[in-house]
Amino acid sequence: MKEYLDISDINNLHEIIDEAISLKKAPYSFEELGKHKTIGLLFFNSSLRTRLSTQKAAQQLGMHCIVINFGADAWGLEFEDGTVMNGSTTEHIKEAAAVISQYCDIIAIRAFPTLTDKEKDLSEHVLNNFKKYGSVPIVNMESATAHPLQALADAITITELKKTAKPKVVLSWAPHPKALPHAVANSFTKMMQRMDVDFVITHPEGYELNPEVTKDTPIVYDQEEAFKDADFIYVKNWSNYKEYGKVVNNDPSWTISNKQMAVTNNAKFMHCLPVRRNVIVADEVIDSDASVVIEQANNRTYSAQVVLKRILEHLK
Ligand code: CP
């Protein structure tokens, strides 16, 4: 694997999931692979799971980690060409990416969308500028439009917990007071399209994701109808895609409670976390045996580890 920007960088999905599950059983079995190698974790936004699980994954492969928080303890970066830099930005991406590439063998980046400038967000300008001006592999730790490490962890979790060969998986929108990105929903959708599952998306009318992502995945506007006989309920809020970045509906009847879960096939409840309790999901669901959010978060380590392992193997 040369880089991990999107799940399209995975060639053989079954193979990588199996390898991640093997790493989970023996996490230190490739401790020599990353010896004398350094990963730089670059955060333009907050994180708990991605930060810690990627660091842990790298350490289990014997790598050194450098973490930098842009906006807190790094110079403000300029991404535009030809700018007269007499404003708030101090360092240009051209120098920053080249310099960081000298210190690190792999650069992992978290950079959320603006949710105001659709064109800029779709261009993945932060990730792609690091790719353009840096000289080492890039790993996406959640970008403007994708969260492929999360999607791989989700695929591992479903593979481990499924009870039938082809489970029914539902991605449901749920309300949230703030405008949230589409990245998790996009990557989860792309991942489910590649897995052997019966996949359905449900959300209020008008909350359609990017049609280039959803393609021919069935969209059911009646949440109860969508949930019938489901084996996995994956819940996530996203802001409006058409009226880009707007919160146009906050209908509390879409919050996941026992009422919704009752029509499922004893479905497992999944969410990438962090989650707003009693807004996205009722306590009665997330505190129940149906919830697998903690197992899901644990798999973030092994999704990161298998990706880093494959990039290290490519670097050799
Ligand atoms: N799921 C996820 O990416 O969590 P963090 O935002 O805490 O990293």
Side-chain angles (χ1 to χ4, degrees):
M1 186 183 272
K2 279 202 311 224
E3 60 188 359
Y4 191 56
L5 302 178
D6 192 35
I7 68 163
S8 56
D9 291 311
I10 298 173
N11 287 331
N12 187 324
L13 182 59
H14 289 295
E15 215 172 78
I16 202 168
I17 292 172
D18 287 348
E19 192 176 1
I21 293 170
S22 298
L23 286 170
K24 193 172 177 178
K25 290 179 190 141
Y28 292 98
S29 45
F30 293 91
E31 217 177 349
E32 288 297 306
L33 190 62
K35 195 175 172 188
H36 300 159
K37 299 280 188 217
T38 299
I39 183 168
L41 307 185
L42 278 49
F43 287 93
F44 290 84
N45 306 95
S46 305
S47 167
L48 187 154
R49 279 142 292 274
T50 306
R51 179 184 299 266
L52 298 183
S53 63
T54 310
Q55 208 164 335
K56 185 173 158 79
Q59 285 164 355
Q60 287 176 174
L61 290 166
M63 300 184 81
H64 295 288
C65 274
I66 300 172
V67 182
I68 189 161
N69 301 303
F70 285 89
D73 49 15
W75 303 118
L77 285 190
E78 177 60 53
F79 288 88
E80 302 303 326
D81 272 338
T83 308
V84 178
M85 287 172 57
N86 58 1
S88 59
T89 54
T90 308
E91 175 149 30
H92 201 277
I93 181 67
K94 289 184 181 178
E95 288 79 52
V99 168
I100 296 168
S101 295
Q102 296 181 122
Y103 303 150
C104 302
D105 301 281
I106 299 173
I107 296 175
I109 302 167
R110 165 162 286 200
F112 289 173
T114 61
L115 291 181
T116 52
D117 188 335
K118 192 173 190 173
E119 200 180 327
K120 192 174 187 179
D121 291 345
L122 292 177
S123 77
E124 291 286 12
H125 83 290
V126 176
L127 231 53
N128 283 324
N129 272 297
F130 270 98
K131 188 173 156 160
K132 184 173 176 187
Y133 296 117
S135 54
V136 299
I138 306 287
V139 172
N140 183 346
M141 294 196 297
E142 189 173 345
S143 64
T145 67
H147 197 355
L149 286 174
Q150 180 66 51
L152 182 53
D154 300 335
I156 296 165
T157 308
I158 289 172
T159 302
E160 287 179 320
L161 297 176
K162 69 179 183 179
K163 293 196 177 111
T164 55
K166 191 172 180 178
K168 178 174 177 183
V169 179
V170 181
L171 170 64
S172 178
W173 179 93
H176 194 283
K178 290 188 174 173
L180 294 192
H182 308 95
V184 170
N186 285 345
S187 290
F188 185 73
T189 297
K190 287 183 182 181
M191 184 58 86
M192 291 307 106
Q193 288 165 345
R194 287 183 63 175
M195 287 183 78
D196 194 16
V197 296
D198 172 13
F199 181 50
V200 173
I201 301 174
T202 183
H203 55 70
E205 282 194 54
Y207 264 91
E208 288 76 12
L209 291 161
N210 183 348
E212 287 176 25
V213 172
T214 53
K215 296 190 172 123
D216 57 359
T217 297
I219 296 168
V220 178
Y221 297 117
D222 180 336
Q223 193 187 37
E224 185 178 337
E225 186 59 34
F227 275 37
K228 275 183 191 155
D229 303 320
D231 299 296
F232 293 91
I233 300 294
Y234 194 103
V235 181
K236 185 72 187 84
N237 171 271
W238 58 87
S239 56
N240 206 277
Y241 183 72
K242 251 186 246 159
E243 287 181 60
Y244 192 63
K246 299 276 187 300
V247 177
V248 295
N249 181 341
N250 241 339
D251 183 352
S253 72
W254 281 75
T255 300
I256 311 304
S257 68
N258 281 344
K259 180 172 160 275
Q260 276 93 339
M261 296 299 282
V263 301
T264 69
N265 182 27
N266 284 320
K268 299 295 184 195
F269 171 84
M270 299 179 73
H271 189 283
C272 63
L273 302 180
V275 69
R276 289 188 184 232
R277 282 171 171 254
N278 303 309
V279 177
I280 294 271
V281 56
D283 286 340
E284 64 192 15
V285 174
I286 194 166
D287 289 333
S288 76
D289 289 342
S291 174
V292 295
V293 296
I294 306 301
E295 292 95 315
Q296 203 182 334
N298 189 37
N299 281 333
R300 289 296 308 275
T301 299
Y302 307 102
S303 73
Q305 193 166 339
V306 75
V307 164
L308 295 182
K309 175 179 176 284
R310 286 182 173 213
I311 293 174
L312 285 170
E313 285 165 347
H314 185 80
L315 283 178
K316 275 189 136 190

